[in-house]
Amino acid sequence: IRQFFRLQSNIILTPSEILNALKSTGKKIYDLGSGLNFTRIDVYSAIISLDNKAPNVTLISPSNNTRNFNKNQTFSCNATDEIQLNNITFYLWNSSNKIINQTTLNISGISNKSSFNITNISNGNYKWNCLTSDLNGNTAYSILNYSLIVMFL
């Protein structure tokens, strides 16, 4: 666990931090013979519990400040995390800053490209972004909301 975090994040965990993570995430087992409680180690859960780094989110398409003549749009976001992704939520706001679409997808792995198909968008100015979270609840948006202008006849 110490080596994993040192290599992934250049974080050096103390032995007590590692021990506490192992104790708090392991499965508690009661031994009838001795009357004692033991913890079965779950290294994966311990690593997740120690993760405090937010995922990275990149907006792919449509690019920022795009003018589009189609009322049907596909929005794409990319999310990465050093440990494990959990979900990604797409947000689309109109010019009044009212959310007109909020869609959440469950995802996994350390890298994910997600697409969101939105139909029948009215003429107007929009902003969009994606929020992603990892298994330990760390979250992040893209640094910048992208804008989109939809104009069709």
Side-chain angles (χ1 to χ4, degrees):
I1 293 172
R2 188 170 199 221
Q3 181 180 15
F4 176 83
F5 277 95
R6 185 176 54 81
L7 293 173
Q8 287 287 11
S9 309
N10 202 26
I11 295 171
I12 307 294
L13 297 173
T14 66
S16 62
E17 288 173 317
I18 296 169
L19 182 61
N20 289 338
L22 290 170
K23 284 182 177 179
S24 67
T25 59
K27 181 178 179 180
K28 307 296 184 219
I29 299 172
Y30 178 72
D31 180 26
L32 291 172
S34 68
L36 298 174
N37 289 316
F38 297 95
T39 302
R40 182 183 305 145
I41 292 174
D42 182 345
V43 174
Y44 182 64
S45 292
I47 287 173
I48 289 172
S49 76
L50 291 166
D51 176 25
N52 62 4
K53 191 170 183 183
N56 184 45
V57 182
T58 306
L59 305 181
I60 301 170
S61 67
S63 58
N64 196 20
N65 296 317
T66 296
R67 292 181 185 268
N68 203 305
F69 303 100
N70 192 337
K71 61 183 177 177
N72 301 323
Q73 299 289 320
T74 299
F75 298 86
S76 297
C77 309
N78 190 54
T80 57
D81 189 66
E82 292 182 357
I83 309 294
Q84 178 78 336
L85 293 165
N86 186 40
N87 62 51
I88 190 164
T89 303
F90 167 77
Y91 291 92
L92 180 64
W93 297 271
N94 64 15
S95 58
S96 301
N97 283 327
K98 179 181 177 189
I99 294 175
I100 62 167
N101 187 284
Q102 178 179 342
T103 304
T104 301
L105 300 175
N106 291 325
I107 59 175
S108 61
I110 61 171
S111 179
N112 179 276
K113 180 180 176 184
S114 297
S115 294
F116 303 87
N117 296 313
I118 311 300
T119 59
N120 294 319
I121 298 175
S122 301
N123 283 331
N125 298 324
Y126 298 90
K127 293 184 295 183
W128 67 280
N129 206 331
C130 291
L131 171 71
T132 190
S133 69
D134 64 19
L135 284 179
N136 202 33
N138 302 306
T139 62
Y141 282 98
S142 174
I143 295 169
L144 177 67
N145 291 332
Y146 274 18
S147 64
L148 170 70
I149 300 171
V150 175
M151 301 180 304
F152 58 90
L153 300 176

